[in-house]
Amino acid sequence: MAIEKVYVVGAGLMGSGIAQVAATAGYRVTMRDINDEALAKGMKAIEKSLGKFVEKGKVPEDTAKSALANIKTTTEMKDAADADLVVEAVFENIDLKLDVFGQLEEITGPECLLASNTSAISITSIASATKRPEKVVGVHFFSPVPMMMLCEVIYGQQTTDETVAVVKAWAEDVGKDVVVVHKDVPGFVANRVGLAMSGVAIDLVASGVATPQEIDKTMKLGFAHRMGPCETADLTGIDVLHNAMKAIYNETKDERYWPPVLMQRMVTAGLLGRKTGKGFYDYSSGEQVAYWEL
Ligand SMILES: NC(=O)c1ccc[n+]([C@@H]2O[C@H](COP(=O)([O-])OP(=O)(O)OC[C@H]3O[C@@H](n4cnc5c(N)ncnc54)[C@H](O)[C@@H]3O)[C@@H](O)[C@H]2O)c1
């Protein structure tokens, strides 16, 4: 089936980014949020990001203009009625996602594909809110969406190969490099691998083996990672990592995902990384400053 019209649910960090890349690739996008303020904020983020791409010569000015013209905004779920593909990017809350997918089941046409950008909720659980689990799929973009190349396309228990093939082709068309995740496992691939590494890195800091800056240097110089695990944790938010690790642990009981005690203490102390000004590094001066000593 051909995808022409895309309905994005949620105009936050991820939803606005997904709307932007789809509209830039020429899709007609309707972006939905619960009120006009959220939609205005999402559109402002898109305009700002497109402006930067134009400034850097990465997107021609007329492409940016037509991208903006390709996006309609709405607070109405019923505007999903003519969508070929829905991408859901609301808060990471299972009850909310089940409610959204239950509504989409009623509103969208039977051929419409339903995708979720969830980080950690099972695609199979989300699909259970619909009568078309074969057409429900994970499409996991990374932040910031217009910059990050990776998109995981994830099978739920009943997702068909055809659904995955269509959504994979669409994600490639909006400029992403796709990894297909063949089983609906907690954390999919990226977070499953990445969080295990974060846990080990934080354990090494806690046990006095090396400082965050030494661990980051090791992974950057030794393995050509662009960022080290402690810098990445600060960027993502220690609380976000903590929740994601706990979610994987709760489902798998795999102790590699039990959040290290140091991580739990940092969450309690509000040392959450960049967003609170301090985590494994200090950002209060506007720069990333190493302060950790053993
Ligand atoms: N932030 C990240 O780095 C990241 C990366 C990958 C995946 N994700 C996932 O993407 C999803 C969205 O995350 P985010 O960071 O964009 O969150 P966000 O808080 O920036 O945005 C969520 C938006 O959803 C809106 N919303 C809530 N209920 C809604 C409804 N019923 N209909 C329409 N809109 C509704 C909110 O008003 C808000 O604007 C989550 O599932 C998250 O786990 C996030």
Side-chain angles (χ1 to χ4, degrees):
M1 77 172 285
I3 307 283
E4 286 174 17
K5 293 183 192 156
V6 180
Y7 183 89
V8 177
V9 196
L13 180 68
M14 300 305 287
S16 64
I18 295 164
Q20 177 181 329
V21 294
T24 305
Y27 291 92
R28 286 157 62 198
V29 176
T30 301
M31 181 168 75
R32 194 250 161 163
D33 210 300
I34 44 179
N35 56 44
D36 289 334
E37 292 75 52
L39 288 169
K41 197 171 158 210
M43 283 309 295
K44 210 167 153 199
I46 293 172
E47 279 165 29
K48 190 169 165 202
S49 169
L50 282 171
K52 279 198 204 150
F53 278 108
V54 171
E55 221 174 271
K56 289 185 188 153
K58 289 189 175 163
V59 170
E61 200 160 352
D62 49 347
T63 306
K65 270 194 190 143
S66 50
L68 287 173
N70 282 340
I71 305 175
K72 282 199 302 189
T73 58
T74 183
T75 53
E76 300 287 338
M77 272 307 255
K78 65 176 165 46
D79 291 338
D82 61 353
D84 304 307
L85 168 68
V86 174
V87 181
E88 168 275 314
V90 302
F91 301 129
E92 186 77 344
N93 174 301
I94 177 84
D95 295 330
L96 176 60
K97 289 192 194 283
L98 291 176
D99 178 51
V100 167
F101 276 76
Q103 291 184 54
L104 291 169
E105 171 64 33
E106 300 298 323
I107 292 165
T108 57
E111 292 308 313
C112 178
L113 302 180
L114 306 177
S116 175
N117 185 55
T118 178
S119 311
I121 297 171
S122 134
I123 304 305
T124 311
S125 306
I126 293 172
S128 72
T130 75
K131 296 188 192 89
R132 60 181 103 163
E134 70 286 354
K135 290 191 165 61
V136 179
V137 63
V139 62
H140 186 206
F141 290 90
F142 290 74
S143 171
V145 179
M147 306 284 294
M148 299 295 276
M149 285 303 293
L150 179 62
C151 179
E152 293 182 304
V153 174
I154 307 128
Y155 277 84
Q157 198 63 36
Q158 296 172 86
T159 314
T160 57
D161 293 342
E162 193 198 342
T163 298
V164 167
V166 173
V167 171
K168 177 175 183 277
W170 171 79
E172 286 169 347
D173 201 38
V174 306
K176 300 305 165 197
D177 238 330
V178 171
V179 169
V180 173
V181 180
H182 293 268
K183 289 199 165 79
D184 182 16
V185 294
F188 313 132
V189 169
N191 285 336
R192 192 70 178 250
V193 175
L195 288 169
M197 187 172 68
S198 306
V200 173
I202 295 168
D203 260 342
L204 290 176
V205 172
S207 47
V209 175
T211 61
Q213 53 273 25
E214 286 167 337
I215 291 172
D216 287 344
K217 188 158 96 179
T218 304
M219 298 312 289
K220 287 193 283 191
L221 300 185
F223 291 89
H225 288 192
R226 206 161 55 83
M227 288 176 77
C230 300
E231 298 172 291
T232 307
D234 274 359
L235 182 65
T236 310
I238 313 293
D239 54 335
V240 173
L241 287 189
H242 180 254
N243 284 338
M245 286 187 80
K246 266 202 323 205
I248 297 181
Y249 177 81
N250 285 341
E251 275 207 79
T252 61
K253 299 289 179 272
D254 180 338
E255 63 187 27
R256 283 176 299 187
Y257 298 94
W258 180 246
V261 172
L262 173 60
M263 189 181 215
Q264 300 179 34
R265 295 291 181 269
M266 288 176 76
V267 171
T268 309
L271 297 167
L272 304 183
R274 282 179 185 259
K275 62 185 169 190
T276 57
K278 203 167 181 183
F280 289 107
Y281 295 86
D282 189 338
Y283 302 89
S284 51
S285 65
E287 303 284 318
Q288 176 178 301
V289 177
Y291 72 93
W292 212 284
E293 286 173 17
L294 297 180

